[in-house]
């Protein structure tokens, strides 16, 4: 978790968590059966200074899908989840509401 500040000298007060996680076997199939998904890749490629170590660490040739329904966290859309069908990997980006 770190500031989302795009290499600026003064960090942003917002705190962001970003990374990859592996789903348990069968979890992605369960999610896709219960929620609507669309093919959608992340808009950026880990452009923030704290995300740069993640560049190139994800699955090879991912087939990203996303459910906007799963991005809702009760306070808006401060969470973004992309799922790779090939590797059962989820890429996440979440704004920490507690700063």
């Amino acid at each position: 978790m770190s500031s989302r500040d795009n290499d600026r000298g003064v960090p942003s007060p917002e705190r962001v968590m970003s990374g990859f996680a592996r789903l348990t076997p069968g979890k992605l199939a369960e999610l896709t059966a219960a929620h609507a998904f669309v093919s959608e890749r992340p808009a950026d490629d880990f452009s923030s200074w704290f995300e740069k170590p993640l560049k190139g660490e994800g699955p090879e040739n991912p087939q990203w899908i996303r459910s906007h329904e799963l991005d809702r966290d009760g306070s808006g859309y401060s969470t973004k989840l992309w799922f790779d069908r090939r590797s059962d990997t989820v890429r996440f980006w979440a704004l920490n509401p507690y700063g």
Side-chain angles (χ1 to χ4, degrees), residues 23 26-39 63-67 69-70 82-86 88-89:
L23 299 173
K27 187 62 176 178
L28 185 53
E30 181 183 318
L31 290 171
T32 57
H35 302 280
F37 279 81
V38 296
S39 292
Q63 292 182 346
W64 296 117
I65 57 173
R66 185 171 175 198
S67 172
E69 181 181 358
L70 293 176
W82 297 270
F83 300 86
D84 176 37
R85 288 184 183 269
R86 292 180 178 172
D88 287 334
T89 298

Side-chain angles (χ1 to χ4, degrees), residues 11-29:
S12 167
E14 296 177 325
R15 306 287 283 175
V16 172
M17 296 185 311
S18 182
F20 296 102
R22 183 65 60 113
L23 299 173
T24 58
K27 187 62 176 178
L28 185 53

Side-chain angles (χ1 to χ4, degrees), residues 2 4 8 10 15 19 24 27 29 38 40 45-46 48 50 54 64-67 79 82-83 98:
S2 189
R4 178 179 54 162
R8 293 183 313 200
V10 178
R15 306 287 283 175
T24 58
K27 187 62 176 178
V38 296
E40 185 178 318
D45 192 23
F46 299 115
S48 296
F50 70 93
L54 295 171
W64 296 117
I65 57 173
R66 185 171 175 198
S67 172
T79 302
W82 297 270
F83 300 86
Y98 303 107

Side-chain angles (χ1 to χ4, degrees), residues 40-56:
E40 185 178 318
R41 54 178 277 168
D44 65 13
D45 192 23
F46 299 115
S47 59
S48 296
W49 67 269
F50 70 93
E51 293 176 312
K52 287 182 182 176
L54 295 171
K55 207 171 208 170

